[in-house]
Amino acid sequence: MNITVVGKDIKVTHDTGGDFTLPDYLPPVSRLLRAECSIIPEGVYLKEGSSGVTAQFGGTAIYTVMWADSDGVPWSTTLESNYESAAVIGQTAPARCMVDTKTENVYCRVVAPRKLSLRSRLVSRILTLAEEETTPDSDGGTYEMQEQEETTVRFYRGLGQDLQATYTEEATIGEDGSPIRPVFCAATVVVNECRQTGGTIRARGDIILVCVYDGADGLYETTKRIPFDELIDLDGMPETDNLQCRVTGTITSLNITADENGIRADIIYDLYAEAAENLPVPITSDAYSCTMPSVCTYRDASFLRSVCCFTGNVSVNERSACDTSSDDGNVCAISASAIIEEAEAQRGKVILTGKCNGNALVTDSEGLSNVQFSVPWRYEVSAPDVSPGDSLIVWGGANVTSSSGRIDKSRGRDDRLCLDLELSVSATIFSEKNKRILASVKVDGDKPLPKSSKMTVYYPDPDETLWDVAKRFHVPVSVAASGGNTTPDGKPNRVMVI
């Protein structure tokens, strides 16, 4: 019987970016306001070589840059850069290889009024899953086998690709009679519910569309929710209708048009379904022969179990340092990302902690400025089967679904930026348990064990099991248990007659 085990869980840090020239229809950069980077992964390729199996992966980094021209008018544009990386993951190809790439930081420098240098540090986590055989090697002899039952995980995946969503809004007119101009737009996929139906996962949620507009009173931000309801086919047929599943999404294209008729957002996105099924697996932990001397070898096996798949919401209300010196500052827009840093097992629950990193666009009498922040968050997940000290593996992430902020105008405070953030946290949590199992059993010698016609009175140790006693005397477990040698719950009596 095969079990699923974790092969490698490694992190790879790599850089991407380049030098970009702004299109002619955009004004030169007078002052850089902010730069962000989102990732669109494109898959994993496994390649065998002399050093082992290498996981090659890549994708597209989408940069959104916002700046002010010489008149103080804000502008933004998107720029693309491809990234590639690789890592050796072992000597044999795994059953499954998963890669999750996130942006750690973004660096933007104005080389010339129309030329930008963009660099970002990416962190990719590679998780490989392998299959191991648990059936012990044997020479074909007759042995008493100690059979037990453990749990292993079977995984399924699915992809809903090139899904489309559209948002329209009637014309928004400024005081001068011209349409209000969208300066910056971003979208995030948030899955609120996912449910299994046979080999299909149904996902419901919202696309959060955030737009920053340049109006008569300055910059302001709006947030719109675009609902979706999609079916995703899995790559196999589960044995049960009780999968633990979750769905995540990626925006692959966002196109905003604005004219006298209104504002239109055309969005293309992908949905990724992951599901896990806990299955019982028989294992052999020990063996012996009743007729011949035998020798056993053992090995440690790692048993993976899906604890839970979840999607939850977190509210973050924190203060952060703000270096603006003006007392008339106002927060007109916030962009932020969230990461999971640690997972701790407690009795009946798992505690997830992480950070929200982002930028607040502040306007005051001196113009526009960008304030960076980093604040902590915490989330509890109910997990009845978890105990303190359990080894946990968390595969997932967090998204910021809404954000707002204000400047505390009280004098004498350094933490003047007040933040209100809403997060959507989605992850699959596994527990890993190591257990000694039987690797092989074989006859040791060519002389049979001596047969005894005598009865032996035996006083077992308090920690001895019925199996231990039967193995000591080379008799079947059924013989050791006969004659009133066990208590009602199957344990050895204080005095046994073998």
Side-chain angles (χ1 to χ4, degrees):
M1 181 70 180
N2 289 339
I3 61 171
T4 301
V5 298
V6 175
K8 294 286 186 179
D9 189 355
I10 58 178
K11 288 186 178 180
V12 178
T13 302
H14 46 108
D15 298 325
T16 187
D19 296 333
F20 301 86
T21 301
L22 295 177
D24 294 337
Y25 61 84
L26 292 173
V29 178
S30 177
R31 184 161 52 124
L32 189 66
L33 296 178
R34 74 199 218 189
E36 301 176 3
C37 179
S38 59
I39 299 299
I40 301 177
E42 293 182 357
V44 185
Y45 172 69
L46 301 181
K47 182 179 179 180
E48 295 186 3
S50 57
S51 60
V53 178
T54 300
Q56 298 178 338
F57 56 94
T60 304
I62 307 295
Y63 293 97
T64 303
V65 184
M66 188 174 180
W67 72 93
D69 61 17
S70 56
D71 296 325
V73 178
W75 298 83
S76 72
T77 190
T78 57
L79 305 165
E80 295 185 5
S81 172
N82 294 327
Y83 70 90
E84 293 181 353
S85 188
V88 177
I89 57 174
Q91 296 301 314
T92 58
R96 189 180 294 270
C97 180
M98 302 183 290
V99 178
D100 183 27
T101 301
K102 298 185 183 299
T103 304
E104 185 177 75
N105 57 51
V106 181
Y107 171 75
C108 183
R109 181 171 63 92
V110 181
V111 180
R114 304 191 64 82
K115 190 172 183 179
L116 300 175
S117 177
L118 286 164
R119 300 289 188 274
S120 60
R121 174 64 56 87
L122 306 181
V123 177
S124 297
R125 182 184 176 193
I126 305 173
L127 181 66
T128 66
L129 302 172
E131 290 188 352
E132 284 187 1
E133 174 65 49
T134 59
T135 303
D137 294 332
S138 173
D139 57 6
T142 302
Y143 298 98
E144 290 285 311
M145 297 286 191
Q146 187 178 34
E147 303 286 351
Q148 296 180 354
E149 187 175 276
E150 283 293 339
T151 300
T152 190
V153 178
R154 180 178 295 170
F155 293 91
Y156 305 90
R157 302 191 77 179
L159 172 63
Q161 198 168 20
D162 294 335
L163 306 174
Q164 298 183 8
T166 301
Y167 171 76
T168 58
E169 185 177 342
E170 294 183 359
T172 305
I173 306 299
E175 292 182 355
D176 58 357
S178 61
I180 290 179
R181 182 173 62 95
V183 178
F184 171 87
C185 294
T188 304
V189 179
V190 176
V191 178
N192 300 321
E193 177 189 358
C194 56
R195 188 174 52 188
Q196 175 204 4
T197 304
T200 302
I201 300 297
R202 184 173 188 175
R204 294 177 177 175
D206 298 291
I207 296 175
I208 311 297
L209 178 64
V210 178
C211 292
V212 178
Y213 294 96
D214 186 13
D217 298 329
L219 296 179
Y220 67 96
E221 183 179 86
T222 64
T223 301
K224 305 294 182 182
R225 289 181 175 265
I226 309 168
F228 65 83
D229 188 345
E230 301 288 350
L231 293 176
I232 307 170
D233 292 329
L234 297 176
D235 58 0
M237 181 56 65
E239 295 186 10
T240 68
D241 288 330
N242 192 29
L243 291 184
Q244 295 179 353
C245 56
R246 73 183 187 98
V247 177
T248 58
T250 299
I251 301 295
T252 59
S253 176
L254 172 60
N255 185 33
I256 304 292
T257 57
D259 53 29
E260 64 277 2
N261 297 320
I263 298 169
R264 178 185 174 93
D266 293 301
I267 303 169
I268 300 178
Y269 63 102
D270 294 342
L271 292 178
Y272 307 90
E274 296 179 353
E277 182 179 29
N278 288 323
L279 296 175
V281 54
I283 64 168
T284 304
S285 57
D286 202 1
Y288 65 91
S289 172
C290 295
T291 59
M292 299 290 290
S294 58
V295 61
C296 297
T297 60
Y298 306 90
R299 68 180 181 90
D300 289 330
S302 177
F303 293 89
L304 200 62
R305 182 178 183 276
S306 177
V307 174
C308 63
C309 294
F310 71 93
T311 297
N313 299 313
V314 183
S315 295
V316 180
N317 308 106
E318 292 285 344
R319 303 177 72 100
S320 182
C322 181
D323 57 6
T324 180
S325 58
S326 176
D327 289 335
D328 62 348
N330 291 294
V331 177
C332 54
I334 291 179
S335 62
S337 60
I339 58 173
I340 299 174
E341 291 187 320
E342 293 184 0
E344 179 187 356
Q346 296 187 5
R347 187 168 301 280
K349 61 184 178 181
V350 176
I351 308 297
L352 298 177
T353 55
K355 285 185 179 180
C356 290
N357 302 314
N359 302 272
L361 194 61
V362 178
T363 179
D364 54 25
S365 57
E366 299 178 1
L368 292 171
S369 61
N370 185 58
V371 177
Q372 294 184 335
F373 61 84
S374 180
V375 295
W377 60 267
R378 183 178 187 271
Y379 184 71
E380 293 187 6
V381 184
S382 175
D385 296 334
V386 169
S387 299
D390 284 357
S391 177
L392 299 180
I393 299 172
V394 179
W395 184 259
N399 291 315
V400 178
T401 58
S402 69
S403 57
S404 62
R406 63 180 178 86
I407 302 297
D408 186 348
K409 299 177 182 179
S410 304
R411 294 184 180 274
R413 293 195 66 112
D414 293 329
D415 54 343
R416 303 178 64 198
L417 178 59
C418 302
L419 298 164
D420 295 312
L421 308 173
E422 293 291 332
L423 276 62
S424 174
V425 184
S426 176
T428 303
I429 300 179
F430 306 101
S431 64
E432 193 175 19
K433 181 174 71 172
N434 292 322
K435 188 177 183 67
R436 194 188 77 158
I437 66 173
L438 183 69
S440 65
V441 57
K442 62 181 181 179
V443 170
D444 185 23
D446 54 3
K447 293 183 178 181
L449 293 169
K451 294 184 179 180
S452 174
S453 59
K454 299 179 180 180
M455 290 191 300
T456 301
V457 178
Y458 181 66
Y459 300 87
D461 293 334
D463 58 348
E464 274 191 295
T465 65
L466 188 62
W467 172 268
D468 297 329
V469 175
K471 184 178 181 180
R472 174 187 290 272
F473 289 95
H474 298 282
V475 298
V477 174
S478 58
V479 173
S482 63
N485 279 336
T486 60
T487 63
D489 56 357
K491 296 181 180 180
N493 277 327
R494 296 180 63 184
V495 180
M496 301 179 68
V497 178
I498 307 296

